[in-house]
Amino acid sequence: MDLNDTPEQAAYREKVRAWLEANKLQAPPRSGSSEDGAYIASRRAWQRRLAEAGLAGVTWPREYGGQGLGPIEQVTVNQEISRADVPGILDVIGIGMLGPCLIAHGTEEQKSRYLGPMLHGDEVWCQLFSEPGAGSDLAAVQTRALRNGDRGWMLSGQKVWTTNAQFASFGLLLARTDPDVPKHKGLTMFIVPMDADGVSVRGLRQISGEAEFNEVFLDNVPLDEDAVVGGVGNGWATALTVLMFERLTIGFGSENFGSPARLSELIASDRAARQDAEVRRRLGHVITELLAVRFNGYRALTMLARGQIPGTEAGLAKVTMVNSAVVATDLAADVIGPEALDADSDWSYLISFLPGLKSAGGTEQILRNTIGERVLGLPAEPRLDKGMPFSELRAKEREAVAP
Amino acid sequence: MNFALSDEQVLLREAARGALSRHKTVEAAREALEDPRALPDLWPLAVEAGWPGLLIGEEHGGAGLDAFDALLVAEECGRVLAAVPLLGLLPATAILDAAGDSSLGAVAAGDLRPAYVPARPPSELEQGWTVQPRSGFARAEAPHASVEGAEVVLEGEVAFVPDAPGASLLVAIGEDRDGSPVAAAVSADAPGLSVDAVTRYDSTRSLGHVAFASARGRLLGVGADVLADAWYLAHALIAAESLGGVQTCLDVSVAYAKERFTFGRAIGSYQSIKHELTEILRQLENARGLQYYAGWARQSAPDEFPLAASAARSAAGHALDSAARSMINIHGGIGATWEHDAPLFFRRAQLSRRLLGGTEDATDRVAEQSLLAAAPA
Ligand SMILES: Cc1cc2nc3c(=O)[nH]c(=O)nc-3n(C[C@H](O)[C@H](O)[C@H](O)COP(=O)(O)OP(=O)(O)OC[C@H]3O[C@@H](n4cnc5c(N)ncnc54)[C@H](O)[C@@H]3O)c2cc1C
């Protein structure tokens, strides 16, 4: 049991810290509007600098421009970036989830074409998975990819909740290539250039008023044969790789969503709140939960460093993290009063963001189903879609709700 | 970074589990509801396993292990409701060890059984060392202590002291006239000392009201930091013991959810049952992360130990509370009867949450430690 750095880890931390110290004046502010082109450009430039310094794609293999280091070094970098009070990489979805999927399932040509520009922020990526009719039940996607004569594919359909699509260069898209087999079987993963003919992006305003995610319409978008990732009909397995990395990205290292230090500072400096038993009780509970997230994060990190994948534990961490962040921001706003909801307050963005975060990356109900079945071995949920060709399933569903 | 059990720790845990499995502790807990004498004396087991000397330095005949290891043992005891007097024993040995007391050899060998008489360190909202009252919301003042040479004379009462009945040595804390805490080792047969044995609700928990009427003890030369550490160690121990209980509640409930059928399906396939079970798991895992934190902090970051131990207590206390209720709920009618083990864990939870200042006092302490870290009072 040891939370301290080994001498090598300490040396690595020192190196990272020194670089950040020397370069932090060039960093853009930690937050800004995702609709502000100049701000996004500054974040891309900063990601490029981080990448050149070896602080992006820390765990990516060296041959693809990464550092070939372990999860512990990645966490060290995250810690030092947050200590330096500078923003991290812009393209968390690309580098954390989609790049690793390309590394696992992509062809050599795809890897050498896409990974470098992704790492350096020259080309930002988005995840084109969810649709109006397929979120939790992701395998129900209806976006169709049809053979386009003898060259490539033609894509039609609609994606939704696509974070960063407004400035992304590419998207990784899950589409149906065969509706006549059961739904998990007829899927294929594609790389879609966001500037291709027939792609249009429309921002969706979130609770905060900002539009960080989008609807993406695909109207006869032509794709080359080499747009396929991981093989035709193998889209579900490819998607699962992304979802695994998504859980790791969201589940751990995110204790800070609850802003425990900021919350404690707020209450410590408000005399009446500090002495109020109820405020203290709420604070004590939420700090307890956030500490648990932090130390379970260390347990998971130990597993990762040993080559094990703490996938389901990450799901529990996400549930705790999101719920305690909600409790923490509620408490902060109760202490401050209506002023906390002012657009310029430190808390209002988080207060608006968290309700959606409950759904992003797997809703609490879905995570609990998965954990109940995979970790506790409980019997599966009843389902009516097993083994049925997707084309018939849609008809059955319509039948079920017909008056 | 390495936040997992070592091979030695895994062995220690397995050994504890093995030793405890030779006694029918859960059955004994049920029988003891009607006849307290049915409880087996597990002290010989503890002595054989070397638990009295867990936290005593090797130079005094102990094993010189960390709190981390002690917490693993407490967890195993909690799993099977074993009435091993660790809660009284281990914080007492921590104080005796820090004082280099002459009793250490005999304690480590198991010839003397000490019990810690808890006193709560002052807090931002409540000055002075306080102790558990017999009844009521206000905490009682710690016994008054006057030092006479190498002796301390104590005057006062501490209610609901874990493992006090039958202990041969009480490690008590009083406040002197200046409000400083003073520790004393009081022999069980000292004139003026009385231990009034009580049980409340949980048949496995031996408690005593300890009264000092000018009782004399040996002065233990330790500072307030050691006495505060003992308080938090007791919290970490009750947390670990509770966590063990949560694990059993979960295991038993999961097994039942797979074998009990209604409307043609196993009840574990119904989402409200499935999600209730994952909630026990979530709270269990959180409590475990915090138990590791507490065990690690006491050794490697003592400044954080009050925060870590209080968080562990708060998390595990609530986890046992809700796990015991869930176990009853998931078992339906039988869960509410003596036919089942669920009430035994429920009783354990109900009493534990009200001992040692109560679970919510630990929650307040978490808040206080965070506030102090943010800005000193
Ligand atoms: C901020 C944000 C960013 C996002 N970014 C992206 C992105 O970049 N790319 C992308 O592809 N997607 C993204 N998403 C979409 C996200 O993955 C989905 O919202 C999520 O998977 C839920 O799907 P849904 O919205 O269709 O809800 P639904 O699946 O329709 O769920 C509706 C409700 O029903 C419940 N429910 C559904 N099935 C079950 C069941 N079996 N048992 C119990 N309850 C059930 C859910 O828990 C939920 O409460 C984002 C979402 C948010 C909020």
Side-chain angles (χ1 to χ4, degrees):
Chain A
M1 204 58 54
D2 186 5
L3 287 182
N4 299 323
D5 290 333
T6 62
E8 300 82 61
Q9 286 162 358
Y12 180 71
R13 185 184 295 281
E14 208 35 63
K15 208 178 75 182
V16 172
R17 188 173 294 184
W19 186 89
L20 286 165
E21 201 49 49
N23 290 272
K24 70 179 184 196
L25 291 179
Q26 275 91 33
R30 282 186 69 151
S31 56
S33 166
S34 59
E35 293 165 89
D36 171 356
Y39 178 68
I40 295 302
S42 70
R43 288 287 303 271
R44 289 164 70 136
W46 178 241
Q47 178 172 325
R48 163 168 279 282
R49 294 181 70 99
L50 290 171
E52 282 164 354
L55 305 187
V58 175
T59 57
W60 282 22
R62 285 190 158 276
E63 52 191 311
Y64 305 121
Q67 299 301 306
L69 295 170
I72 296 194
E73 285 76 15
Q74 177 66 64
V75 167
T76 303
V77 169
N78 297 349
Q79 287 170 343
E80 291 303 315
I81 284 179
S82 108
R83 184 178 179 276
D85 204 24
V86 296
I89 53 172
L90 172 68
D91 191 6
V92 174
I93 293 174
I95 293 182
M97 295 150 50
L98 307 182
C101 175
L102 287 182
I103 291 170
H105 300 281
T107 62
E108 278 316 311
E109 291 72 33
Q110 287 168 339
K111 293 181 205 177
S112 60
R113 161 63 187 86
Y114 296 113
L115 291 172
M118 180 192 284
L119 193 63
H120 291 86
D122 297 334
E123 293 168 353
V124 173
W125 282 61
C126 62
Q127 179 191 13
L128 293 163
F129 283 20
S130 303
E131 296 183 3
S136 302
D137 188 7
L138 179 60
V141 292
Q142 282 172 286
T143 293
R144 276 288 269 136
L146 292 169
R147 285 277 176 201
N148 191 6
D150 55 358
R151 57 170 310 278
W153 299 83
M154 193 64 94
L155 207 59
S156 288
Q158 184 194 341
K159 295 291 174 177
V160 75
W161 327 127
T162 319
T163 306
N164 295 352
Q166 69 274 32
F167 49 76
S169 305
F170 292 97
L172 195 68
L173 181 144
L174 188 63
R176 186 160 307 279
T177 39
D178 185 354
D180 298 322
V181 292
K183 66 184 187 188
H184 293 86
K185 297 215 165 106
L187 300 170
T188 302
M189 193 70 82
F190 293 93
I191 295 171
V192 179
M194 296 301 284
D195 60 0
D197 287 345
V199 176
S200 48
V201 176
R202 198 176 76 89
L204 284 170
R205 223 158 268 297
Q206 285 152 276
I207 298 173
S208 68
E210 272 206 63
E212 292 164 303
F213 61 27
N214 308 270
E215 292 178 288
V216 177
F217 299 92
L218 306 142
D219 183 14
N220 286 320
V221 179
L223 294 177
D224 288 338
E225 193 58 51
D226 61 9
V228 172
V229 178
V232 174
N234 198 29
W236 186 244
T238 315
L240 286 181
T241 303
V242 175
L243 298 184
M244 185 195 80
F245 283 104
E246 179 166 29
R247 275 203 295 269
L248 293 180
T249 305
I250 298 186
F252 295 120
S254 38
E255 171 210 8
N256 285 331
F257 266 117
S259 314
R262 221 148 42 90
L263 180 65
S264 299
E265 278 160 27
L266 170 76
I267 295 171
S269 61
D270 186 309
R271 236 186 104 72
R274 182 171 187 152
Q275 300 194 343
D276 183 87
E278 178 65 9
V279 168
R280 292 167 67 99
R281 200 182 61 80
R282 289 168 66 186
L283 177 68
H285 279 298
V286 75
I287 296 284
T288 296
E289 295 269 297
L290 293 169
L291 281 170
V293 172
R294 180 186 328 157
F295 285 89
N296 280 338
Y298 295 145
R299 288 170 67 200
L301 201 55
T302 305
M303 289 179 73
L304 277 171
R306 294 175 176 181
Q308 299 153 322
I309 295 183
T312 31
E313 291 86 344
L316 284 177
K318 191 214 157 185
V319 171
T320 300
M321 185 272 290
V322 177
N323 289 330
S324 10
V326 169
V327 171
T329 50
D330 262 353
L331 175 56
D334 285 349
V335 167
I336 297 170
E339 207 49 35
L341 303 174
D342 184 77
D344 289 333
S345 113
D346 287 349
W347 299 94
S348 77
Y349 175 78
L350 260 184
I351 289 171
S352 300
F353 181 72
L354 290 169
L357 192 62
K358 265 185 102 103
S359 297
T363 69
E364 176 164 343
Q365 286 86 348
I366 293 296
L367 292 171
R368 286 188 187 272
N369 284 350
T370 311
I371 292 159
E373 290 164 26
R374 302 262 175 81
V375 181
L376 299 178
L378 294 168
E381 295 289 297
R383 58 190 303 168
L384 302 174
D385 57 355
K386 264 241 154 97
M388 189 182 293
F390 186 70
S391 46
E392 289 170 34
L393 179 66
R394 290 274 110 167
K396 276 259 156 31
E397 284 176 0
R398 272 193 294 274
E399 226 169 76
V401 293
Chain B
M1 160 79 56
N2 170 18
F3 216 54
L5 300 185
S6 68
D7 292 346
E8 292 76 19
Q9 284 163 340
V10 172
L11 278 178
L12 177 79
R13 192 183 61 187
E14 297 309 318
R17 191 173 297 182
L20 291 164
S21 72
R22 289 195 284 279
H23 298 264
K24 293 190 164 30
T25 48
V26 178
E27 286 89 330
R30 176 177 294 105
E31 283 164 31
L33 286 173
E34 290 182 288
D35 177 10
R37 285 163 309 178
L39 223 50
D41 178 8
L42 297 178
W43 181 245
L45 177 158
V47 172
E48 197 184 326
W51 296 340
L54 267 181
L55 298 180
I56 295 176
E58 284 168 310
E59 69 280 18
H60 295 120
L65 295 177
D66 292 346
F68 202 105
D69 308 293
L71 297 180
L72 294 175
V73 173
E75 181 185 334
E76 289 307 317
C77 292
R79 271 170 73 101
V80 293
L81 300 174
V84 182
L86 296 180
L87 211 49
L89 169 74
L90 293 169
T93 63
I95 296 173
L96 293 169
D97 191 62
D101 189 62
S102 56
S103 65
L104 281 167
V107 170
D111 298 335
L112 285 179
R113 177 166 78 75
Y116 165 63
V117 184
R120 175 189 185 273
S123 62
E124 208 179 319
L125 299 186
E126 206 168 336
Q127 322 284 279
W129 291 71
T130 52
V131 297
Q132 185 105 20
R134 285 198 183 211
S135 175
F137 194 63
R139 274 179 262 277
E141 281 177 23
H144 297 284
S146 38
V147 178
E148 295 179 5
E151 285 194 335
V152 182
V153 182
L154 290 165
E155 192 73 45
E157 189 192 62
V158 185
F160 299 109
V161 176
D163 304 323
S168 36
L169 193 66
L170 294 173
V171 177
I173 297 155
E175 243 184 10
D176 68 13
R177 210 168 300 143
D178 309 330
S180 303
V182 173
V186 186
S187 174
D189 53 14
L193 172 71
S194 69
V195 177
D196 176 11
V198 288
T199 41
R200 289 287 180 273
Y201 205 56
D202 174 359
S203 62
T204 65
R205 182 87 76 194
S206 157
L207 299 168
H209 298 325
V210 177
F212 304 96
S214 300
R216 278 176 186 271
R218 203 160 54 246
L219 175 66
L220 297 170
V222 292
D225 52 340
V226 168
L227 303 179
D229 168 75
W231 172 255
Y232 296 116
L233 180 60
H235 278 60
L237 286 164
I238 203 169
E241 189 198 62
S242 302
L243 186 155
V246 177
Q247 182 77 61
T248 302
C249 292
L250 178 63
D251 294 345
V252 172
S253 303
V254 165
Y256 191 69
K258 291 178 188 172
E259 70 190 32
R260 173 73 179 172
F261 278 68
T262 64
F263 306 98
R265 285 167 56 192
I267 58 169
S269 72
Y270 295 115
Q271 222 168 62
S272 63
I273 299 290
K274 184 178 286 172
H275 289 190
E276 188 164 355
L277 288 165
T278 62
E279 179 58 14
I280 306 180
L281 177 70
R282 190 188 71 81
Q283 295 190 22
L284 171 74
E285 287 303 311
N286 282 354
R288 197 183 303 282
L290 293 169
Q291 174 178 324
Y292 284 16
Y293 177 30
W296 170 81
R298 185 165 183 272
Q299 175 74 13
S300 305
D303 287 355
E304 291 178 47
F305 186 53
L307 173 68
S310 304
R313 166 105 198 256
S314 179
H318 287 105
L320 183 58
D321 243 22
S322 57
R325 284 187 191 276
S326 286
M327 170 148 74
I328 295 170
N329 177 51
I330 289 165
H331 283 80
I334 195 165
T337 71
W338 282 24
E339 305 292 310
H340 199 268
D341 293 344
L344 302 171
F345 288 88
F346 180 74
R347 283 171 176 261
R348 167 62 66 93
Q350 287 294 311
L351 178 65
S352 290
R353 94 177 236 181
R354 293 168 180 105
L355 290 178
L356 287 165
T359 305
E360 283 307 75
D361 186 41
T363 309
D364 186 76
R365 194 68 82 157
V366 173
E368 173 157 302
Q369 290 295 312
S370 317
L371 292 168
L372 288 173

